[in-house]
Amino acid sequence: QVQLVESGGGLVQAGGSLRLSCAASGRTFGSDAMGWFRQAPGKEREFVAAISWIDGSTYYADSVKGRFTISRDNARNTVYLQMNSLKPEDTAVYYCARRGNYYNPYHSPTAYDYWGQGTQVTVSS
């Protein structure tokens, strides 16, 4: 089984930065991908970013392009999400996940089979 644990969330002012970490255990690293999603109160979970284990390709939601960067550290079994120029609308619980369903696109939550517990990111204006 795979366990994913997010950390690094917190309270930051608009324009500030945070780096989220997702520590993985189990059979996380392979031929699939890891992704970050977020969910604000009263809203559906939405895709933020993903990174491929095969070729390192990265993918971003339009709302975070140019501001967020997803990366991985194989030695530490960790995936990161560097968030810069944060906006109040970025406020949400952020989740990391392992892609396990190859029939669904990377931006769909249904493409991922293991999820972390989430870490709260709050951006004040």
Side-chain angles (χ1 to χ4, degrees):
Q1 298 298 104
V2 175
Q3 182 179 10
L4 306 174
V5 181
E6 302 97 334
S7 62
L11 175 64
V12 64
Q13 292 186 7
S17 299
L18 285 173
R19 189 183 73 163
L20 306 184
S21 298
C22 176
S25 62
R27 202 163 185 170
T28 297
F29 294 92
S31 60
D32 58 359
M34 295 290 294
W36 285 96
F37 289 77
R38 65 187 182 186
Q39 188 166 24
K43 300 183 67 177
E44 296 184 31
R45 189 169 300 181
E46 67 173 347
F47 170 76
V48 176
I51 185 167
S52 171
W53 293 121
I54 299 175
D55 57 12
S57 299
T58 56
Y59 312 89
Y60 297 94
D62 289 340
S63 60
V64 305
K65 285 182 179 178
R67 299 189 298 121
F68 291 10
T69 302
I70 187 171
S71 62
R72 65 170 180 168
D73 186 335
N74 293 72
R76 298 178 183 272
N77 293 325
T78 301
V79 177
Y80 303 95
L81 184 69
Q82 178 67 45
M83 305 184 296
N84 298 326
S85 302
L86 283 163
K87 305 175 181 179
E89 51 262 44
D90 295 319
T91 296
V93 176
Y94 283 70
Y95 301 89
C96 68
R98 188 195 78 162
R99 187 177 184 182
N101 188 331
Y102 295 92
Y103 298 102
N104 295 336
Y106 64 86
H107 57 267
S108 173
T110 61
Y112 299 81
D113 57 0
Y114 291 94
W115 296 80
Q117 85 288 351
T119 185
Q120 176 70 47
V121 172
T122 302
V123 184
S124 63
S125 59

